[in-house]
């Protein structure tokens, strides 16, 4: 439920810059940046994603650790499924 | 030590474990509650109990949104899903949670239009794709998830999408902690504070726990080394007789929280006067409802809600387990009638539920040990 999935911003999409294409566990998905409007991330930045929304900016090292944690907790598949599911494209 | 090869910075883990042994007074029994279900899962997965001295007991808290939802709310949501032309959309975690007449997944099998979504914005997208249908999103979660629902409702209003509504079951963590501290059968010495909830609410809302209740609380990350360091910080406070809020997870949690997320929640939601929690009963001002300005997207106002109250299956002792009065395996149904494959209670459904976590790690380990033991040993 409280999966926090790391992703790297590839490209900002709309003018308001509230939606971005983010590479999440190997797939590219649209992620909402509305919750980070005070300090919007840019291309190349890493974020923690929860239910399709970027929740916080993190370092690349933290992103790698978070991915490792998900794998150890047996939640990497769930994270992959969730990321694939964003945008109803799966 | 189990899984030691998987630990990040194993030398730090060892050092923290030694420090815990040094700090823990052997003549004292410590009851520490980890509030968050993600921590519960990690504690079992990493076998932290095996590292901690016996007089440090970890009590599993209420921070699993699926687990604390009373069964009646699931039936209320499914009652909306039964209506003609309605699409019932929910996160995957909700799908196997039993209602009185089956889980969403079972209802799907018998013909209800039930869809799994991974984001509330995808439920809104379903509404755009099916303008002739009504999409009801069954929203659950603590402050980690509520801001995403809030922003989705704002988008629905901005775009004038009228065939979309939210059945709001968002809850807030602070009143649940208060209820636990007020409960006479629960004596908790200190708290391991939730990680991801705190990215939104920050650390300030916990200050009364330290100042008024005199209990230390440390907001913690999820790695074994994070949780052990948090326990070190708690023990230092307990030893010196102080009680403050500390943040061990500074790499992700800002002290002030996330202003934009809090603002979105405040615009869309208001506190309910009271809400029922499984195991903890009715707690005042512990849940969110949708403000009048968004009434047109509030499933509870768009549809007549039966307001079902269902008691848990008699033999199941979810309430006692949720309050930490019973350990998961002490429930009469544990591992027999109630398993992750066929859950009777919600604590067995979610990987963050203490029963599922206990079953997947402790129970299987004990069962394997029993099989491995030579006859007569």
């Amino acid at each position: 439920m409280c999966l926090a999935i790391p992703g790297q911003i590839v490209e900002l999409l709309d003018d308001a810059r509230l939606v971005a294409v983010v590479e999440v566990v190997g797939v590219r998905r649209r992620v909402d940046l509305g919750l980070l409007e005070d300090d919007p991330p840019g291309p190349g930045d890493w974020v923690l994603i929860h239910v399709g929304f970027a929740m916080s900016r993190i370092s690349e090292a933290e992103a790698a650790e978070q991915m490792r944690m998900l794998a150890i907790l047996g939640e990497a598949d769930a994270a992959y499924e969730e990321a694939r599911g964003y945008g109803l494209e799966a | 030590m189990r899984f030691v090869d998987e630990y990040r910075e194993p030398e730090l883990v060892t050092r923290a474990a030694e420090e815990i042994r040094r700090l823990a007074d052997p003549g004292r029994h410590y009851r520490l509650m980890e509030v968050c279900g993600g921590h519960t899962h990690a504690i079992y997965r990493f076998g932290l109990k095996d590292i901690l001295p016996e007089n440090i007991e970890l009590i599993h808290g209420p921070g699993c949104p699926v687990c604390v939802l009373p069964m009646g709310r699931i039936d209320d949501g499914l009652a909306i899903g039964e209506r003609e032309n309605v699409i019932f959309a929910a996160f995957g975690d909700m799908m196997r949670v039993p209602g009185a007449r089956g889980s969403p997944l079972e209802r799907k099998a018998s013909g209800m239009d039930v869809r799994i979504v991974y984001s509330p914005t995808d439920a809104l997208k379903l509404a755009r794709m099916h303008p002739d249908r009504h999409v009801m999103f069954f929203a659950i979660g603590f402050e980690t998830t509520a801001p995403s629902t809030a922003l989705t409702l704002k988008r629905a209003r901005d775009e004038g999408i009228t065939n979309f509504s939210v059945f709001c079951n968002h809850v807030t963590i602070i009143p649940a902690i208060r209820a636990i501290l007020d409960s006479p059968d629960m004596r908790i010495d200190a708290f391991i504070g939730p990680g991801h909830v705190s990215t939104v609410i920050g650390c300030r809302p916990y200050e009364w726990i330290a100042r008024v209740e005199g209990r230390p609380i440390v907001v913690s990350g999820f790695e074994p080394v994070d949780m052990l360091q948090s326990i070190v910080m708690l023990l230092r406070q307990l030893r010196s007789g102080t009680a403050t809020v500390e943040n061990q997870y500074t790499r992700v949690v800002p002290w002030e929280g996330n202003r934009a997320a809090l603002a979105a929640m405040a615009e869309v939601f208001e506190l309910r006067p009271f809400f029922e929690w499984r195991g903890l009963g009715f707690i005042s001002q512990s849940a969110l409802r949708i403000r009048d300005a968004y009434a047109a997207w509030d499933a509870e106002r768009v549809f007549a809600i039966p307001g079902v109250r269902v008691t848990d299956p008699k033999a199941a002792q979810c309430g006692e387990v949720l309050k930490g009065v019973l350990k998961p395996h002490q429930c009469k149904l544990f591992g027999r009638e109630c398993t992750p494959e066929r859950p009777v209670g919600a604590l067995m459904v979610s990987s963050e539920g203490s029963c599922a976590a206990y079953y997947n790690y402790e129970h299987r380990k004990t069962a394997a040990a029993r099989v491995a033991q030579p006859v007569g040993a």
Side-chain angles (χ1 to χ4, degrees), chain A residues 23-78:
Chain A
E23 183 148 332
V24 203
V25 289
V27 292
R28 288 187 174 197
R29 283 294 178 267
R30 280 172 180 238
V31 165
D32 202 304
L33 303 183
L35 298 176
L36 297 181
E37 65 174 16
D38 288 352
D39 182 20
D45 286 341
W46 289 84
V47 288
L48 269 187
I49 301 157
H50 174 64
V51 299
F53 286 76
M55 295 292 295
S56 41
R57 291 172 69 161
I58 51 170
S59 67
E60 185 172 359
E62 178 61 26
E65 281 306 329
Q66 178 67 12
M67 208 50 240
R68 202 174 131 267
M69 269 295 282
L70 289 174
I72 292 176
L73 288 174
E75 285 175 340
D77 289 348

Side-chain angles (χ1 to χ4, degrees), chain B residues 124 150-162 164 267-268 291-297:
Chain B
L124 187 60
L151 277 192
T152 303
L153 280 166
K154 283 177 68 165
R155 307 254 148 92
R157 194 173 77 156
D158 291 348
E159 290 180 41
I161 297 175
T162 53
F164 175 73
E267 183 187 329
V268 175
R291 283 190 189 274
D292 287 345
Y294 290 86
W297 293 271

Side-chain angles (χ1 to χ4, degrees), chain B residues 264-310:
Chain B
M265 278 168 69
E267 183 187 329
V268 175
F269 300 124
E270 61 188 8
L271 287 171
R272 290 177 194 267
F274 53 83
F275 193 74
E276 187 182 5
W277 293 56
R278 189 190 286 244
L280 297 171
F282 284 91
I283 307 177
S284 64
Q285 306 202 319
S286 64
L288 303 175
R289 68 179 177 201
I290 294 168
R291 283 190 189 274
D292 287 345
Y294 290 86
W297 293 271
D298 181 357
E300 287 179 77
R301 289 189 261 190
V302 173
F303 302 99
I305 301 288
V308 184
R309 285 206 64 202
V310 191

Side-chain angles (χ1 to χ4, degrees), chain B residues 99-354:
Chain B
R101 288 187 297 131
S103 66
L105 204 59
E106 286 162 338
R107 302 297 286 277
K108 182 185 170 79
S110 56
M112 192 186 286
D113 193 345
V114 172
R115 314 275 182 104
I116 294 180
V117 291
Y118 295 91
S119 166
T121 57
D122 286 338
L124 187 60
K125 197 168 176 183
L126 273 178
R128 281 191 211 104
M129 286 159 61
H130 301 281
D132 53 329
R133 313 273 310 272
H134 182 96
V135 175
M136 188 218 63
F137 175 60
F138 191 108
I140 55 165
F142 284 90
E143 289 94 332
T144 326
T145 319
S148 303
T149 306
L151 277 192
T152 303
L153 280 166
K154 283 177 68 165
R155 307 254 148 92
R157 194 173 77 156
D158 291 348
E159 290 180 41
I161 297 175
T162 53
N163 63 323
F164 175 73
S165 65
V166 168
F167 183 51
C168 183
N169 293 286
H170 285 301
V171 285
T172 57
I173 196 67
I174 298 291
I177 297 176
R178 197 184 299 269
I180 284 161
L181 282 169
D182 286 347
S183 173
D185 51 356
M186 297 185 70
R187 198 181 48 76
I188 306 292
D189 296 304
F191 292 90
I192 298 173
H196 295 135
V197 159
S198 305
T199 62
V200 173
I201 68 172
C203 299
R204 282 195 195 285
Y206 305 116
E207 278 173 352
W208 64 275
I209 298 174
R211 227 182 16 233
V212 182
E213 300 288 340
R215 309 299 212 287
I217 175 164
V218 175
V219 171
S220 177
F222 296 85
E223 302 253 354
V225 66
D226 290 327
M227 284 184 284
L228 292 173
Q229 279 173 356
S230 297
I231 292 171
V232 166
M233 291 158 87
L234 290 173
L235 290 175
R236 282 200 185 123
Q237 289 197 40
L238 288 169
R239 205 177 148 122
S240 64
T242 53
T244 58
V245 183
E246 290 184 274
N247 184 7
Q248 184 274 337
Y249 201 27
T250 49
R251 60 188 195 274
V252 175
V253 173
W255 189 264
E256 300 292 342
N258 180 330
R259 191 213 58 88
L262 291 170
M265 278 168 69
E267 183 187 329
V268 175
F269 300 124
E270 61 188 8
L271 287 171
R272 290 177 194 267
F274 53 83
F275 193 74
E276 187 182 5
W277 293 56
R278 189 190 286 244
L280 297 171
F282 284 91
I283 307 177
S284 64
Q285 306 202 319
S286 64
L288 303 175
R289 68 179 177 201
I290 294 168
R291 283 190 189 274
D292 287 345
Y294 290 86
W297 293 271
D298 181 357
E300 287 179 77
R301 289 189 261 190
V302 173
F303 302 99
I305 301 288
V308 184
R309 285 206 64 202
V310 191
T311 46
D312 280 326
K314 264 216 175 73
Q317 294 168 296
C318 308
E320 283 89 340
V321 175
L322 254 179
K323 288 204 290 181
V325 176
L326 284 185
K327 299 288 175 203
H329 67 279
Q330 292 169 328
C331 169
K332 291 194 278 285
L333 302 187
F334 180 87
R336 286 182 285 271
E337 288 90 341
C338 189
T339 62
E341 288 76 28
R342 296 186 62 83
V344 176
L347 281 85
M348 200 50 112
V349 176
S350 167
S351 63
E352 295 165 5
S354 49

